[in-house]
Amino acid sequence: MSPWRLLLTRPEEDCAALAQTLADAGIASASLPLLVIEPIAPDPAQLQRLRAIGEAQAIIVVSKPAARLLLEQLAQAGVTPPSAGWFTVGEATARILQDHRLQVAFPAAGDDSEALLALPDLREAIAGPAPRVLVVRGVGGRELLAERLAEQGASVDYLELYRRCLPHYPATTLAQRIDGERLNGLVVSSGQGLEHLHRLAGADWPRFSRLPLFVPSPRVADQARALGAKDIVDCRGASATALLAAVQRTAAPAP
């Protein structure tokens, strides 16, 4: 049995799947979802982008909630999505789109913006004159992706379909969970998840900042350093596979 006892902070459904993957590998965990997905209705400008989705040379869907909500809104608007030109950061998001017979490219190694930007298929898609890219996401996030695409001459639009909210918890919830279950590692899957962890920790953050913190990318690692985290492990991906590999190659802190 692994000495690790991790706190998982993804949305509830993702926490359950991740906890099972870790348990199968002998790693204990506890779940405290710090992200709730709140769908938002498209405004007129967003609705126009939805209806013109086939005009983009590349459609980048950054998360599973974005994929599910996009498919729902396309169906509600009576819009048939193009079969090709789809890109995702990770395989799990790609599978949602592939189940609807869409052709999706994603990085085989690494599920972050940097890996996607290096993908030959994406470079080819935006190689023509005045390429248009549609990034389907929640409110905010993946700014690096848009900046790098713009540097390559692409015109980037956003289709924002949801907000990521912090569930309401009593102020002592995080401390009770970490201390009560003797957890020795924290896991966040995004920059916003990290922000919510920091906010919920409150006055206890200086103590919890010394725990190993598993993050999905160099960008979130930089955010964690700025918040004072002392022991950061970059998983180089948000998938269960990436986290599991990072945990298995990292020594747990002494009891």
Side-chain angles (χ1 to χ4, degrees):
M1 188 73 178
S2 169
W4 281 108
R5 299 180 301 279
L6 303 175
L7 179 72
L8 310 181
T9 60
R10 297 181 180 188
E12 185 173 0
E13 180 181 342
D14 292 338
C15 271
L18 180 56
Q20 185 59 57
T21 297
L22 294 172
D24 291 343
I27 300 168
S29 66
S31 296
L32 184 66
L34 296 184
L35 293 168
V36 170
I37 303 301
E38 179 183 284
I40 55 177
D43 60 25
Q46 297 279 73
L47 189 57
Q48 178 58 34
R49 289 172 185 163
L50 185 74
R51 289 173 174 160
I53 193 168
E55 298 177 9
Q57 279 68 53
I59 306 162
I60 300 175
V61 185
V62 306
S63 67
K64 291 182 289 184
R68 295 188 186 105
L69 290 168
L70 175 62
L71 292 168
E72 289 176 11
Q73 293 201 10
L74 287 170
Q76 291 169 6
V79 176
T80 300
S83 60
W86 295 86
F87 298 88
T88 65
V89 177
E91 183 178 2
T93 303
R95 283 199 299 266
I96 296 171
L97 300 171
Q98 289 167 340
D99 286 345
H100 286 72
R101 300 181 180 179
L102 303 178
Q103 299 172 27
V104 188
F106 59 90
D111 49 357
D112 55 21
S113 295
E114 290 82 356
L116 178 60
L117 288 163
L119 194 66
D121 288 350
L122 179 58
R123 292 181 175 179
E124 182 179 349
I126 64 172
R132 295 180 59 183
V133 177
L134 182 65
V135 177
V136 186
R137 65 176 191 175
V139 176
R142 299 290 178 185
E143 303 298 342
L144 172 66
L145 186 59
E147 290 172 7
R148 294 286 175 81
L149 289 169
E151 289 171 2
Q152 297 176 47
S155 173
V156 181
D157 285 322
Y158 291 118
L159 186 58
E160 297 182 324
L161 302 181
Y162 61 92
R163 296 184 182 88
R164 296 170 293 266
C165 303
L166 174 63
H168 175 72
Y169 292 114
T172 58
T173 299
L174 185 62
Q176 289 175 346
R177 183 64 58 88
I178 293 174
D179 295 338
E181 301 191 35
R182 297 182 300 111
L183 304 178
N184 59 5
L186 310 174
V187 181
V188 295
S189 59
S190 67
Q192 189 144 32
L194 173 62
E195 291 172 10
H196 288 180
L197 177 68
H198 179 257
R199 190 191 313 172
L200 187 60
D204 285 315
W205 175 248
R207 179 163 64 95
F208 297 148
S209 68
R210 295 193 290 271
L211 291 172
L213 176 65
F214 293 86
V215 302
S217 68
R219 177 181 59 83
V220 181
D222 287 342
Q223 288 180 250
R225 290 187 192 95
L227 291 174
K230 304 297 190 296
D231 188 356
I232 303 165
V233 181
D234 181 3
C235 302
R236 292 311 305 262
S239 68
T241 301
L243 173 62
L244 182 58
V247 172
Q248 290 176 330
R249 67 173 178 261
T250 304

